[in-house]
Amino acid sequence: MTDLTKKENFLDKIGIPSHLFWGFVGVMIFMMGDGLELAWLSPYLVEKGLTVQQSALLTTSYGVTIAIAAWFSGVLVEAIGPRKTMLLGTMLYVLGQILFVGVALPHLIYGLMIPTYAIRGFGYPLFSYSFLVWITYRTPQHKLGKAVGWFWFVFTGGLSVLGSYFSSWAIQAFGHIATLWSAVIWVVVGAILAIVVNRDKIVVEKKEERTSKLKELKNGILIVKKEPKVGIAGIVRIINQASQYAFPLFLPLYLEGKGISTTVWLNIWGTIFISNIAFNLIFGFVGDKFGWRNTVTWFGAVGCGVFTLMLFYTPQIFEGNVMLVGLIGILWGACLAGFVPLSALTPSLVGEGDKGAAMSILNLGAGLCVFVGPAIVAVFYNFVKSPGIIWILAGLYFVAALLTRSLKLPGEPEGKVGTIEVLNDTAK
């Protein structure tokens, strides 16, 4: 009993709510399974005979369902609870994966590949983003920044780091198809830990005379009209990762002309997200001290804007300097994590009964960035080429900085711009 108490106290001290510990572990393992094919599926399909356009359409269909599920995750938590929502996400992922890997992929039945891969897209937003809503309900406000920082640490660590490293080994050991089948095992193990082993009890506050679950889904739309700041937060969330999905489409080609090969760029890209997951945690702590709004504004939006420009112009000034470009990339990845406190700030803009709806808008933004980044490249690249795209992306970050200044907490004094000092004092 003494050892357990010490463990729980240590977890709380570093910012992980001890009563949700197994949920965090489960999310990391789930996302490891969900993301293990992201870095290699497209070239594998092209090698098997699909065109680049067909592979892109497949990914787009996946992104559509991600955006839909991300939007509904928060309100579904309020309608049926987080455990049932997370279980629904797990079931949809497993169903889609079995049909995709077992039937569509081996025979390259493209008409079946699209819907089955799209079904998988419902999985991780309903699972992981529902757990994020769970965190916002069960964590004291003055510790919420650290908790969401840990969430994005395990989320990105599983999706972009562990999944890639595991698949790089598993493909060599077992082959592509077997590696895809192993994803089901990881996802199920993660779900068991987060839903079953995680024994935390959560009761989502019910509004008086709640009429129907449909009304809760409707609230996920009306919250923007009721509290426009939530809509602004959703726009900032889209801008947050738009460049992450735009860069791979044009930046490697640009860098190749500056003496940095695509293979080297891929190593830089991987290092960027090691930096990102570390700073997801760091900025959770920074946000609670420096202020959520200040952190998103200066480290997230302004920082990303500056380093986005530097990623383009540094190779021009120091052509072929891999170390310097890598350093700029690491700093950009760190600043990308500066948006982490947005997950604490957004639900704090509304009352208890609307937190799920507010998080749904934020989660929708997380899904829509998958479209916005590539769409910017698709629409503008022929007209403005790489320099223009870089300035568009950087400009969006500077716009996000201005928008974030309007995300003022209810009752926040004018002199406490972007801080939560008053809330911390009250909590004490």
Side-chain angles (χ1 to χ4, degrees):
M1 180 64 71
T2 302
D3 290 341
L4 179 60
T5 302
K6 287 182 179 178
K7 181 181 179 182
E8 290 177 344
N9 289 339
F10 171 74
L11 291 172
D12 289 322
K13 187 174 181 179
I14 65 173
I16 300 177
S18 56
H19 51 284
L20 292 172
F21 172 72
W22 288 110
F24 283 90
V25 176
V27 166
M28 175 173 276
I29 294 175
F30 185 103
M31 294 309 302
M32 174 182 170
D34 183 274
L36 59 80
E37 88 285 352
L38 293 179
W40 55 264
L41 183 62
S42 181
Y44 171 75
L45 293 176
V46 172
E47 181 183 325
K48 291 298 180 182
L50 267 64
T51 66
V52 173
Q53 290 79 6
Q54 286 175 317
S55 178
L57 181 59
L58 181 71
T59 305
T60 300
S61 68
Y62 178 65
V64 169
T65 52
I66 286 175
I68 294 171
W71 185 18
F72 283 108
S73 59
V75 288
L76 279 175
V77 168
E78 293 195 340
I80 63 177
R83 279 192 168 88
K84 290 181 180 179
T85 306
M86 293 167 74
L87 179 60
L88 177 61
T90 304
M91 293 170 62
L92 287 171
Y93 176 89
V94 171
L95 174 63
Q97 186 77 343
I98 290 173
L99 294 174
F100 178 71
V101 181
V103 182
L105 183 59
H107 305 289
L108 291 180
I109 308 173
Y110 189 67
L112 186 59
M113 289 171 68
I114 289 181
T116 55
Y117 197 63
I119 291 173
R120 292 173 75 260
F122 286 111
Y124 90 70
L126 292 179
F127 183 87
S128 295
Y129 295 158
S130 296
F131 183 69
L132 179 58
V133 177
W134 193 339
I135 292 171
T136 65
Y137 271 101
R138 296 285 289 136
T139 305
Q141 191 173 44
H142 64 286
K143 295 182 178 180
L144 190 53
K146 300 182 187 70
V148 298
W150 276 107
F151 169 82
W152 290 113
F153 178 89
V154 299
F155 179 94
T156 308
L159 181 67
S160 299
V161 180
L162 293 182
S164 297
Y165 284 131
F166 171 77
S167 63
S168 67
W169 168 80
I171 288 171
Q172 299 296 323
F174 310 118
H176 293 83
I177 298 298
T179 299
L180 286 171
W181 277 121
S182 73
V184 175
I185 298 173
W186 293 115
V187 163
V188 171
V189 169
I192 291 172
L193 291 175
I195 299 172
V196 180
V197 179
N198 170 28
R199 304 299 297 169
D200 182 60
K201 296 188 186 325
I202 176 172
V203 178
V204 179
E205 182 177 323
K206 303 291 183 182
K207 299 186 181 82
E208 283 187 29
E209 300 179 358
R210 184 182 299 247
T211 56
S212 67
K213 292 181 175 63
L214 183 60
K215 185 176 180 180
E216 286 307 309
L217 298 178
K218 184 179 178 182
N219 192 38
I221 303 172
L222 296 181
I223 187 64
V224 176
K225 182 178 180 181
K226 180 179 178 181
E227 184 47 80
K229 291 179 183 177
V230 172
I232 293 174
I235 294 172
V236 173
R237 183 65 181 88
I238 294 172
I239 295 172
N240 172 195
Q241 288 183 289
S243 59
Q244 180 179 335
Y245 295 96
F247 279 167
L249 300 180
F250 74 97
L251 201 54
L253 298 174
Y254 165 74
L255 291 175
E256 197 164 19
K258 300 298 178 182
I260 298 176
S261 69
T262 300
T263 301
V264 173
W265 164 250
L266 290 175
N267 290 327
I268 293 173
W269 190 248
T271 306
I272 283 173
F273 285 98
I274 292 177
S275 166
N276 178 254
I277 65 171
F279 277 89
N280 279 338
L281 175 59
I282 291 170
F283 280 121
F285 284 81
V286 171
D288 283 347
K289 296 295 183 182
F290 184 57
W292 299 333
R293 186 151 53 105
N294 281 335
T295 302
V296 174
T297 299
W298 300 111
F299 290 105
V302 174
C304 278
V306 169
F307 289 116
T308 292
L309 293 173
M310 291 182 70
L311 267 176
F312 181 82
Y313 288 105
T314 298
Q316 287 191 11
I317 301 172
F318 304 96
E319 186 167 332
N321 193 323
V322 176
M323 296 297 293
L324 189 55
V325 173
L327 176 60
I328 298 300
I330 288 170
L331 293 173
W332 177 80
C335 289
L336 199 66
F339 287 87
V340 159
L342 195 64
S343 297
L345 177 60
T346 303
S348 300
L349 297 171
V350 298
E352 283 296 319
D354 290 322
K355 288 184 182 294
M359 289 301 295
S360 288
I361 297 299
L362 196 65
N363 294 340
L364 175 62
L368 286 177
C369 64
V370 179
F371 301 103
V372 171
I376 289 171
V377 178
V379 173
F380 295 105
Y381 187 79
N382 285 339
F383 303 102
V384 298
K385 303 302 180 184
S386 295
I389 298 296
I390 283 290
W391 276 100
I392 290 172
L393 295 172
L396 286 174
Y397 280 123
F398 297 134
V399 169
L402 295 175
L403 292 175
T404 303
R405 305 314 294 165
S406 67
L407 302 181
K408 186 179 173 70
L409 292 172
E412 183 181 338
E414 291 295 333
K416 302 291 183 183
V417 180
T419 69
I420 55 169
E421 294 176 13
V422 173
L423 298 175
N424 284 341
D425 291 341
T426 302
K428 293 176 183 176

